[in-house]
């Protein structure tokens, strides 16, 4: 198999369309053919569907491709790619969990990737078993998020559910069982963002970017207090552990 720099020559192995719809598709964005082959063979043995790109430019075509009827369920991304770098590509990926696989071992590299949107980071060389375990974890988190959004759609956009927590999108009330509490506009915007992205870590700056349209008065200095107030209200209904602080990075919603 040869690399290609200027064309979207992806190795997509399909059986039939109905089969593809039932499989999880994992995109391998890696310019090292040998490493990519090893990963792909391992994924196929586990029953995953795969598609591949060998540069950041190819990856853009890959993510826009509709041959399998949907975008990948998860992306494995190398950072040191020819053309567009992995870091540049990462900033353009939305709504798909990304596991960075890189030879960059610096703490700053890992932190930058995680704050830039990566769901996980694994350093080369790596054990295939560890990679498969990390993939399983991320797909499990994605499934929970998708299920929560589907329940939301089924309730005509009035209610968002994640685990035992329910958020009334009209009344700005959060409840768990028979207990409920009303939220401020900023608290509501923060909780809605986190509940819509179960398990995903958001830095303070990312939270501010996402909620700025609804709460333009929220600032970097006040955000910490808003989150503290929100966690106290969740504590009142027995769910103080839903919003988890990830040291040195930010916050995430955990079921």
């Amino acid at each position: 198999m040869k690399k290609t720099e200027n064309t979207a020559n992806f190795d997509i192995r399909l059986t039939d369309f109905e089969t593809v719809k039932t499989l999880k598709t994992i995109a391998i964005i890696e310019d090292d053919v040998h490493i990519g082959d090893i990963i792909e063979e391992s994924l196929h043995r586990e029953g995953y569907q795969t598609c591949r790109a060998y540069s950041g430019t190819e990856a853009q075509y890959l993510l826009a491709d509709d041959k399998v009827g949907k975008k990948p369920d998860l992306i494995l991304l190398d950072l040191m790619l020819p053309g567009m770098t992995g870091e540049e590509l990462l900033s353009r990926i939305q709504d798909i969990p990304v596991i960075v696989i890189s030879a960059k071992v610096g703490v700053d590299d890992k932190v930058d990737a995680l704050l830039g949107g990566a769901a996980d980071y694994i350093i080369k060389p790596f054990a295939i078993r560890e990679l498969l375990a990390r993939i399983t974890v991320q797909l499990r988190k994605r499934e929970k998020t998708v299920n929560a959004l589907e329940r939301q759609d089924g309730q005509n956009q009035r209610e968002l559910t994640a685990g035992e927590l329910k958020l009334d999108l009209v009344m700005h009330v959060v409840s768990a069982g028979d207990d409920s509490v009303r939220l401020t506009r900023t608290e509501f915007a923060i909780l809605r963002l986190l509940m819509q992205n179960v398990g995903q870590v958001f830095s303070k700056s990312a939270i501010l970017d996402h909620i700025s349209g609804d709460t333009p008065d929220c600032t970097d200095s006040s955000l910490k207090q808003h989150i503290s107030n929100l966690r106290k209200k969740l504590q009142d209904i027995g769910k103080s552990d839903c919003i988890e602080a990830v040291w040195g990075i930010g916050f995430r919603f955990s079921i």
Side-chain angles (χ1 to χ4, degrees):
M1 186 181 303
K2 297 181 179 180
K3 296 186 201 177
T4 172
E5 295 296 332
N6 300 314
T7 61
N9 182 21
F10 309 122
D11 179 18
I12 303 178
R13 293 187 174 89
L14 308 179
T15 50
D16 56 70
F17 184 69
E18 289 301 317
T19 301
V20 171
K21 290 196 298 184
T22 65
L23 297 176
K24 296 296 184 184
T25 302
I26 298 178
I28 305 168
I29 304 174
E30 169 64 68
D31 66 322
D32 188 308
V33 176
H34 177 64
I35 293 176
D37 287 347
I38 292 174
I39 294 173
E40 184 175 47
E41 290 169 8
S42 299
L43 293 176
H44 286 173
R45 283 196 298 269
E46 295 297 316
Y48 293 111
Q49 185 71 34
T50 61
C51 48
R52 293 176 67 171
Y54 304 92
S55 71
T57 304
E58 283 187 336
Q60 289 190 93
Y61 288 103
L62 173 66
L63 297 179
D65 192 44
D66 61 358
K67 291 181 180 179
V68 297
K70 63 182 181 67
K71 291 184 178 180
D73 297 287
L74 183 139
I75 296 170
L76 302 178
L77 176 64
D78 181 27
L79 294 181
M80 293 184 284
L81 296 170
M84 179 185 293
T85 67
E87 290 90 344
E88 292 175 304
L89 182 63
L90 180 61
S91 67
R92 304 186 182 194
I93 298 173
Q94 296 181 346
D95 303 323
I96 304 174
V98 178
I99 297 178
V100 169
I101 301 177
S102 178
K104 293 184 176 182
V105 300
V107 173
D108 288 343
D109 294 316
K110 290 185 282 187
V111 170
D112 288 345
L114 292 169
L115 292 180
D120 202 353
Y121 193 109
I122 187 168
I123 296 172
K124 298 176 182 177
F126 54 87
I128 285 293
R129 286 183 60 198
E130 180 183 358
L131 176 60
L132 292 174
R134 290 172 184 261
I135 289 171
T136 298
V137 169
Q138 293 305 322
L139 289 176
R140 186 184 298 147
K141 289 179 179 179
R142 178 177 172 83
E143 193 70 26
K144 288 181 179 179
T145 301
V146 169
N147 289 340
L149 292 175
E150 287 178 347
R151 287 195 295 270
Q152 175 187 349
D153 290 339
Q155 294 160 346
N156 297 319
Q157 305 295 315
R158 180 183 175 90
E159 187 176 86
L160 177 62
T161 301
E164 298 178 359
L165 210 63
K166 295 182 180 180
L167 180 63
D168 190 313
L169 303 178
V170 177
M171 302 301 295
H172 292 194
V173 171
V174 61
S175 60
D178 296 328
D179 299 318
S180 63
V181 63
R182 185 176 296 277
L183 305 177
T184 66
R185 182 176 62 172
T186 301
E187 293 164 355
F188 168 78
I190 294 169
L191 185 57
R192 180 179 60 183
L193 170 66
L194 297 179
M195 287 179 66
Q196 287 176 331
N197 299 274
V198 175
Q200 181 174 339
V201 180
F202 286 90
S203 65
K204 290 197 299 181
S205 61
I207 293 175
L208 287 171
D209 287 343
H210 280 84
I211 70 173
S212 60
D214 297 322
T215 59
D217 56 329
C218 185
T219 64
D220 183 73
S221 59
S222 66
L223 178 63
K224 186 176 180 179
Q225 186 60 51
H226 286 299
I227 293 178
S228 177
N229 294 340
L230 174 58
R231 297 175 86 176
K232 289 178 181 177
K233 289 185 177 181
L234 292 175
Q235 184 177 12
D236 291 340
I237 58 175
K239 291 296 176 183
S240 60
D241 57 344
C242 287
I243 297 180
E244 178 184 354
V246 181
W247 187 84
I249 300 179
F251 301 89
R252 66 182 170 195
F253 188 90
S254 299
I255 296 179

